[in-house]
Amino acid sequence: MKKRTKRFALDIIHLVGELPKTTVGRAIGGQLVRSGTSVGVNYRAACRGKSKADFIAKLGIVEEEADESCYWLELLIEGALAEKQRAELLLKEASELTAIIVASRKTAGSVK
């Protein structure tokens, strides 16, 4: 997952680098870079959690950031601001990462 979330961050950075240099492109791009790179860094932090509760809490942040990335990618797609196929692949990845983290939080919460 560490490699996967880092790859996601790098792919987001490259996509945002190709967005139009307009007010909207810069605004959405900035938000997407923040949320997309936050997924990996917060996952790494979760892996270093000091307790089970800390791990679960940090995974919650990962979940929120991955879901937020979905939102910004949806705006790029629906607003025709990014190459559709590429943005859709990243949206699929963001959705999968969100689902994996949700499942991980549930599993971690049920382990005694």
Side-chain angles (χ1 to χ4, degrees):
M1 276 295 286
K2 286 181 184 179
K3 287 182 182 179
R4 187 170 176 175
T5 57
K6 185 188 281 186
R7 177 81 257 153
F8 177 70
L10 289 168
D11 289 345
I12 289 291
I13 289 167
H14 292 131
L15 176 75
V16 169
E18 296 173 4
L19 291 178
K21 305 301 183 224
T22 62
T23 302
V24 173
R26 283 189 297 274
I28 294 174
Q31 294 287 357
L32 181 55
V33 165
R34 280 186 283 284
S35 64
T37 56
S38 181
V39 172
V41 75
N42 282 296
Y43 181 76
R44 288 173 67 115
C47 291
R48 288 182 163 48
K50 293 173 180 53
S51 65
K52 184 172 138 179
D54 188 37
F55 174 73
I56 293 168
K58 287 179 178 173
L59 281 184
I61 296 168
V62 177
E63 178 186 339
E64 290 173 5
E65 296 295 340
D67 186 57
E68 182 178 330
S69 296
C70 289
Y71 176 78
W72 297 121
L73 287 161
E74 289 168 1
L75 286 183
L76 290 179
I77 293 164
E78 293 172 30
L81 295 169
E83 196 269 304
K84 187 176 180 177
Q85 184 178 10
R86 188 167 176 196
E88 285 176 342
L89 286 172
L90 282 170
L91 176 58
K92 181 178 184 286
E93 179 66 358
S95 297
E96 287 178 9
L97 289 170
T98 303
I100 290 166
I101 297 304
V102 167
S104 296
R105 285 185 70 212
K106 288 179 182 175
T107 300
S110 67
V111 174
K112 299 199 183 201

